[in-house]
Amino acid sequence: LLDRRSVTLGGPTAVATDISLLANLSRRHAEIVRDDSGHVLVAHGTVHVDDRLVADRINLSHGNTIRLGASVELVFGRPTALSATASLEFASDHRPALSVDGLVLVEQTCLLGPGADCHVHCPDWPDTVLLIRRDRQWFTRSVLPLEIDGRPARGETPLDDGGTVTGETFRFRIESWTPDTC
């Protein structure tokens, strides 16, 4: 979960890159910027969106396939118009140094659950869990009975760094992320 307005993508030796991918890319190959109209991809290296070369920048839409360089493929998702949060799923085998399947570009809220409008699709969950980012603090809310670090969660409940959220059939953990780790 990334809660910044701009995220840079680049190759594995990219000190100034937020997400360093294990691929043959320039150190600041592309940048995704969230603005008032949505998300814009800014190309600094060779970038294609839906097989069209991006000369400078392009507005991203739900379902766009982004190709960085010759072979890194990502799929951009923004499953609901009610939230500016978006996701990047890895369609090729290229990953950051830490193994992840995707990134969530959070703008205040993130939905986890079985619905098509969820940013993180969890098909076996009985209902949705809402994560809220406010004043550099995470909160969680759901109609499901939840525990946070073994304590019952009621209503909108703060979630500390490293906190574990447990439902009847699922569990997840929120951990701090820094550019050095990806």
Side-chain angles (χ1 to χ4, degrees):
L1 302 174
L2 306 172
D3 66 345
R4 44 182 79 188
R5 295 186 71 77
S6 173
V7 175
T8 55
L9 302 155
T13 60
V15 177
T17 299
D18 295 316
I19 306 298
S20 296
L21 298 166
L22 301 174
N24 187 19
L25 300 174
S26 62
R27 60 184 183 91
R28 285 182 47 94
H29 204 88
E31 183 177 11
I32 296 178
V33 180
R34 184 181 65 241
D35 63 18
D36 293 336
S37 65
H39 290 81
V40 176
L41 184 138
V42 180
H44 301 295
T46 304
V47 178
H48 290 81
V49 172
D50 295 336
D51 292 324
R52 290 183 14 233
L53 181 64
V54 177
D56 181 36
R57 58 183 48 227
I58 188 170
N59 290 324
L60 294 172
S61 299
H62 181 71
N64 283 147
T65 299
I66 301 166
R67 189 173 74 240
L68 306 175
S71 59
V72 176
E73 287 198 4
L74 306 159
V75 177
F76 178 84
R78 189 167 167 201
T80 177
L82 301 177
S83 171
T85 295
S87 64
L88 285 175
E89 291 183 37
F90 296 100
S92 63
D93 291 332
H94 301 89
R95 298 287 189 273
L98 293 178
S99 180
V100 297
D101 293 325
L103 306 167
V104 181
L105 310 175
V106 178
E107 167 60 17
Q108 295 181 344
T109 60
C110 179
L111 296 168
L112 295 83
D117 61 343
C118 290
H119 303 102
V120 179
H121 191 242
C122 307
D124 297 329
W125 289 17
D127 209 333
T128 301
V129 174
L130 174 65
L131 292 177
I132 303 160
R133 185 72 168 166
R134 186 173 52 246
D135 299 326
R136 310 221 28 95
Q137 169 76 50
W138 287 106
F139 297 85
T140 185
R141 184 171 50 206
S142 182
V143 297
L144 298 171
L146 298 178
E147 288 185 353
I148 297 179
D149 296 328
R151 295 180 308 277
R154 298 199 192 337
E156 190 174 292
T157 307
L159 182 59
D160 293 327
D161 182 36
T164 301
V165 177
T166 305
E168 190 173 307
T169 59
F170 62 86
R171 177 181 300 201
F172 66 91
R173 179 180 173 112
I174 299 290
E175 296 180 24
S176 290
W177 172 87
T178 61
D180 307 11
T181 61
C182 272

